[in-house]
Amino acid sequence: MPEKPEKAIVARDLRRIYRSSKGVFRKKHEIVEAVKGISFEVEFGELFGLLGPNGAGKTTTIKMLTTLLTPTSGAAKVLGFDVAKDVIDIRRRIGIIFGGERGLYYRVSGRENLRYFADLYGVPVSKRDKRITDLLDLVGLSDRADTKVEGYSRGMKQRLHIAKGLINDPDVIFMDEPTIGLDPEAARETRAMIKGLVEKGKTILLTTHYMFEADELCSRIAVISNGKIVALDSPSELKKFVKDITVIEVEAFGLANTDLDVLRRQADVTNVSAELEGERQIVRIQTPRGSEFIPTVTKLLSRAKIVDIRTKEPTLEDAYLKLVA
Amino acid sequence: MSQLHFFADPQWIIPNVIAPFIFTAVALMFFQNVSGSLALYAVLGGGMMGMWGNTLYGAGFALGFDRWNGTLEYVLATPSRLVWIVAGRSASSAVLGLVNAIAILCIAVFGYRAELGIANPVLFLLALVLTLASLSSLGVLFSSSFLLTRSASVMTNGLEMPIYVASGSMFPIALLPFWSHPFSWSLGPTWGIEAMRYAAYGDLDLGFWIDILVVFASTIIYLAIGFWLFGIVERKVRRDATLVEY
């Protein structure tokens, strides 16, 4: 390792362009700039979050930092090693945990999966089996360790992913949406596990879609939108972006997109987001006018059946929505 | 690990056991009134086909499977160089192919009463080991191209038959058109299978040792080119972001 670096991760003006082509005779070339010159630093022992919508460039950033993609320009160092040149040195010292169903050998057991990756990471045979047993205990898979992975639930597969990402006892762990698709209990267990890793001194770079997760886990968050970092601070500081704003939350049935468009066109509305919970719609309206704006909202949404309307303190999600809007 | 996964999926039996067995059985039926050299020719050819089929699986199909399964990124993200992983898979698959060859030999001897005498077992074994190494190195050479494509399994199938034919596993290369001979001669296994036949017949003159030398040299050359190509291809997939396409 080079002299003990000051930061665990350093990214400087990191860019990544994807080039693709379509057609055989008349090829059409397409260029997409997924990451547009981002810079940030992660301290040792920090849990740093990358937050952003789909296609913002989070996964591309992680893939550059984990040496799976070469940056088009800019530079990045992990534990003092250059991601473009010191590929093997970085791979030895990092762990990668991507979310999802893929990335495991289904026809063999969880223990065999871990054994294979332990060998690929060069874990000494004398330590290998004990480490696998410890990791299976940590992720709560000991009793199913010798069952074929194809029989695992989604949560169990995700826990095996986590064990796999820790098999080389990495100093820095990259997690790409580690709780995606998990039920609430499994997601809570995973978050507890992540907190435990930070307590053990691991550095973690995490991407997530879940605001409360980022709020609960991360000491600092970089909000990334359209390939650029639009804000970088602690969750509490990020919330200050919306300190002058009140959130009016409306629960309703029968809202149309046109109703939301009408709200968005109001001069006193800074952001409108909507989500569907069963047949019920929940609309969050950001406004600087506070509760005095409620009658206007009620009037504008008069075609829908409003079940409840209330004001709320802005959350990290509101800050995020303002930042990426 | 790759082999464990391989055996857990019963479809491997068709291309790697049943197909070579059928080819051998047909050849033995043709030659059932002929003993010695021709019967041995058929058995060696069938065994060779089993070994090459397995090697292609280890080198190519397994990479295609890793890409499809989402494990290729995780494997590439480890500090182990992919070329060594593929070389290991190729070699273990070729050795497993030997089991097919032994099964075919047993079927020929006990099922078809083929008379197979091996004049010099020690040199036969030498030729066999070198041929296995040659097959593995050929797998490494081809597999760099498997990393570039989403159609590794199609390429695997496409490479199966030409090597069977060109290496003289199915019938003597003398029967092939002259223009195809340079391709046959460029294949290490062609020389390997010829060396095995020389050792089996007891024709241990200069021809045998030339075959041994060529199969050894071609193995080194294939490996050198394979390692070089892998370096280029690994850099290319990191640059072009083609690893996750499936």
Side-chain angles (χ1 to χ4, degrees):
Chain A
M1 201 192 307
E3 271 183 48
K4 169 95 177 164
E6 285 180 19
K7 310 284 180 187
I9 302 170
V10 179
R12 291 271 178 267
D13 198 23
L14 208 55
R15 280 171 202 277
R16 174 69 211 197
I17 292 172
Y18 290 109
R19 292 184 173 84
S20 61
S21 55
K22 279 185 211 167
V24 180
F25 298 111
R26 288 184 180 180
K27 277 199 170 183
K28 284 184 181 174
H29 298 279
E30 196 181 356
I31 292 176
V32 176
E33 195 174 4
V35 176
K36 299 172 181 172
I38 62 170
S39 301
F40 63 90
E41 293 173 348
V42 180
E43 305 287 338
F44 279 95
E46 184 179 13
L47 204 167
F48 185 88
L50 272 182
L51 208 59
N54 288 333
K58 306 184 299 290
T59 301
T60 299
T61 303
I62 280 205
K63 286 191 176 171
M64 285 192 282
L65 294 173
T66 54
T67 75
L68 288 170
L69 281 179
T70 315
T72 308
S73 67
K77 287 191 173 185
V78 175
L79 297 167
F81 294 106
D82 189 314
V83 296
K85 294 176 195 158
D86 308 320
V87 173
I88 301 297
D89 289 311
I90 291 177
R91 289 178 182 176
R92 262 193 208 112
R93 294 168 174 85
I94 63 167
I96 300 174
I97 300 165
F98 295 152
E101 291 266 347
R102 300 170 73 235
L104 296 165
Y105 293 98
Y106 278 23
R107 291 179 190 271
V108 294
S109 70
R111 190 189 302 278
E112 283 161 342
N113 268 274
L114 294 180
R115 199 172 286 157
Y116 180 56
F117 280 96
D119 290 343
L120 293 185
Y121 274 100
V123 177
V125 177
S126 56
K127 292 182 181 171
R128 186 186 66 184
D129 289 345
K130 184 178 183 315
R131 187 173 295 172
I132 289 171
T133 305
D134 292 346
L135 284 172
L136 287 165
D137 276 345
L138 176 76
V139 299
L141 279 178
S142 298
D143 55 335
R144 298 292 299 275
D146 299 306
T147 308
K148 281 185 182 179
V149 173
E150 63 191 0
Y152 283 15
S153 68
R154 175 80 189 251
M156 290 164 73
K157 284 174 194 156
Q158 191 61 25
R159 281 186 271 160
L160 184 59
H161 269 298
I162 292 172
K164 180 158 68 78
L166 302 175
I167 194 71
N168 57 330
D169 192 19
D171 297 318
V172 179
I173 305 162
F174 293 87
M175 297 185 174
D176 195 8
E177 298 178 11
T179 59
I180 194 163
L182 297 185
D183 63 52
E185 194 184 339
R188 197 181 62 227
E189 283 171 7
T190 304
R191 284 196 293 278
M193 216 180 292
I194 293 169
K195 280 182 191 167
L197 290 170
V198 177
E199 281 163 15
K200 283 182 187 165
K202 305 287 183 192
T203 305
I204 298 179
L205 191 148
L206 169 132
T207 74
T208 180
H209 280 307
Y210 304 126
M211 303 301 143
F212 66 93
E213 186 167 282
D215 200 358
E216 181 185 336
L217 294 175
C218 302
S219 52
R220 286 188 308 142
I221 294 169
V223 179
I224 186 165
S225 176
N226 199 23
K228 289 179 180 169
I229 290 179
V230 292
L232 196 169
D233 222 319
S234 64
S236 57
E237 288 299 313
L238 286 176
K239 284 177 203 168
K240 289 182 184 169
F241 275 94
V242 283
K243 69 176 191 297
D244 301 326
I245 281 173
T246 304
V247 177
I248 298 174
E249 195 172 88
V250 183
E251 282 183 48
F253 290 94
L255 275 171
N257 282 334
T258 49
D259 296 320
L260 301 179
D261 291 339
V262 168
L263 282 172
R264 286 188 183 109
R265 282 199 291 271
Q266 299 304 305
D268 290 325
V269 172
T270 53
N271 193 278
V272 177
S273 64
E275 60 183 280
L276 205 61
E277 274 189 11
E279 292 185 355
R280 188 182 55 155
Q281 290 150 311
I282 296 178
V283 182
R284 290 170 72 84
I285 304 149
Q286 293 179 6
T287 174
R289 284 183 56 197
S291 55
E292 70 178 57
F293 194 59
I294 287 179
T296 313
V297 172
T298 312
K299 192 177 163 193
L300 290 170
L301 301 181
S302 58
R303 286 194 307 171
K305 184 183 174 189
I306 294 176
V307 180
D308 190 18
I309 186 162
R310 56 188 173 259
T311 58
K312 286 192 124 183
E313 283 299 307
T315 61
L316 184 62
E317 183 169 1
D318 297 303
Y320 166 81
L321 288 170
K322 189 180 177 192
L323 287 163
V324 301
Chain B
M1 175 68 181
S2 177
Q3 302 304 342
L4 275 176
H5 215 264
F6 177 42
F7 283 119
D9 184 354
Q11 64 179 335
W12 65 274
I13 294 170
I14 297 169
N16 300 301
V17 176
I18 295 177
F21 168 70
I22 290 172
F23 279 117
T24 312
V26 170
L28 285 167
M29 273 188 263
F30 278 137
F31 304 135
Q32 63 181 314
N33 294 323
V34 184
S35 64
S37 63
L38 279 174
L40 182 75
Y41 192 98
V43 170
L44 279 181
M48 186 78 172
M49 285 157 68
M51 289 191 287
W52 177 236
N54 264 320
T55 306
L56 266 181
Y57 170 84
F61 185 80
L63 266 184
F65 172 81
D66 270 331
R67 180 190 292 271
W68 174 83
N69 193 44
T71 31
L72 186 57
E73 263 196 322
Y74 285 104
V75 169
L76 196 71
T78 67
S80 299
R81 280 198 62 194
L82 192 60
V83 65
W84 284 111
I85 298 169
V86 170
R89 287 176 177 180
S90 270
S92 61
S93 299
V95 172
L96 275 174
L98 200 56
V99 177
N100 300 356
I102 292 166
I104 286 166
L105 183 76
C106 292
I107 292 162
V109 171
F110 300 113
Y112 288 87
R113 308 273 175 214
E115 291 174 19
L116 307 168
I118 294 175
N120 192 322
V122 175
L123 291 180
F124 180 86
L125 198 65
L126 171 71
L128 177 67
V129 169
L130 281 173
T131 306
L132 282 171
S134 177
L135 286 168
S136 305
S137 62
L138 202 55
V140 172
L141 179 68
F142 286 133
S143 60
S144 58
S145 59
F146 296 158
L147 197 58
L148 287 175
T149 176
R150 280 173 276 186
S151 308
S153 55
V154 176
M155 284 180 75
T156 304
N157 292 339
L159 280 169
E160 209 163 4
M161 200 55 79
I163 303 294
Y164 289 163
V165 174
S167 66
S169 298
M170 292 180 89
F171 39 77
I173 57 171
L175 298 177
L176 297 172
F178 185 73
W179 58 260
S180 69
H181 288 186
F183 177 60
S184 296
W185 296 330
S186 73
L187 295 172
T190 306
W191 303 82
I193 197 165
E194 193 174 77
M196 279 194 280
R197 284 175 186 140
Y198 276 138
Y201 305 153
D203 297 339
L204 298 168
D205 56 8
L206 189 62
F208 170 80
W209 292 106
I210 288 174
D211 285 343
I212 291 289
L213 189 68
V214 174
V215 74
F216 179 75
S218 62
T219 301
I220 301 294
I221 291 167
Y222 293 161
L223 281 177
I225 298 172
F227 273 66
W228 175 68
L229 282 178
F230 254 95
I232 293 173
V233 167
E234 278 187 56
R235 283 192 293 277
K236 184 173 164 52
V237 295
R238 286 179 64 219
R239 193 186 64 224
D240 297 347
T242 50
L243 212 56
V244 288
E245 292 172 348
Y246 64 97

